[in-house]
Amino acid sequence: RLNGWAEASYAYQDFLNNSVVPTGDLRSGNVWQGTLGGTYLLNPVMRLGSSLGWQKKNAAARYYAYNRASWQGTHSWLLGRGTFLLSSVNVDLDTYAVADPAISAKKRRDQTIRPRVLFGAPLGSLAKILDTTLFTLTYEYDHALSNLTNYAYTDNKIAGAFIYQFSY
């Protein structure tokens, strides 16, 4: 019923300059990340999960370097007849190393909240030919708060997918 896990990763992000972002290489640098999490099976059709994470991003330009604390909560629900509902919420708190002199004298601090819900259903009950077809619909709301107005935004995303499995 109870499951725990830990994850650690390292990556080097190598950004290149181009005509749209001529200073892309200033974002290049090391990224270290660690996450601890777990899941709990509430009953045979529902599971809750949660994780805490930390990330350190270094960058060639220190105003692109940050530390991130994060939390994620998840809920999985098997609704019956192959349908399911997956929901999650992510919260990230970013603190930047130094101020970007071109933007502000203040160091940047961001808080991002991202709830997401995905509904999935097999389509076999509609027609025999759709027996191996799955339809999913996802909605995500992204709300970024920042102490610097330039980096605050809200975004809504809707996505759908038809997945068809065949064999020969």
Side-chain angles (χ1 to χ4, degrees):
R1 293 183 72 110
L2 186 61
N3 178 352
W5 53 272
E7 177 182 64
S9 66
Y10 165 81
Y12 180 81
Q13 295 178 337
D14 190 13
F15 292 88
L16 301 176
N17 296 336
N18 59 49
S19 60
V20 176
V21 185
T23 58
D25 64 329
L26 296 179
R27 297 174 185 270
S28 294
N30 302 307
V31 180
W32 290 272
Q33 185 171 322
T35 309
L36 294 173
T39 59
Y40 180 72
L41 193 61
L42 290 172
N43 57 48
V45 297
M46 276 196 220
R47 180 176 65 191
L48 289 176
S50 186
S51 65
L52 291 172
W54 176 82
Q55 182 181 71
K56 180 169 184 60
K57 163 69 175 165
N58 288 332
R62 297 263 305 134
Y63 48 83
Y64 289 127
Y66 61 85
N67 290 321
R68 172 177 290 163
S70 59
W71 173 80
Q72 180 182 50
T74 60
H75 178 253
S76 305
W77 189 5
L78 301 176
L79 300 170
R81 300 180 65 166
T83 60
F84 57 92
L85 187 68
L86 306 176
S87 54
S88 66
V89 63
N90 292 63
V91 177
D92 294 332
L93 305 173
D94 298 346
T95 304
Y96 283 75
V98 299
D100 181 345
I103 305 290
S104 172
K106 294 189 292 187
K107 287 197 297 185
R108 181 175 159 194
R109 288 186 320 278
D110 298 344
Q111 303 88 37
T112 306
I113 301 163
R114 184 178 300 116
R116 178 182 310 127
V117 63
L118 180 144
F119 173 77
L123 299 179
S125 60
L126 299 176
K128 182 71 175 157
I129 194 167
L130 299 175
D131 269 350
T132 59
T133 303
L134 175 69
F135 168 73
T136 66
L137 183 63
T138 305
Y139 172 72
E140 179 179 305
Y141 175 75
D142 199 350
H143 187 63
L145 304 168
S146 181
N147 65 324
L148 304 179
T149 306
N150 298 27
Y151 300 103
Y153 65 91
T154 299
D155 191 22
N156 291 281
K157 298 175 191 173
I158 297 175
F162 286 97
I163 303 158
Y164 181 75
Q165 177 187 349
F166 64 93
S167 59
Y168 55 95

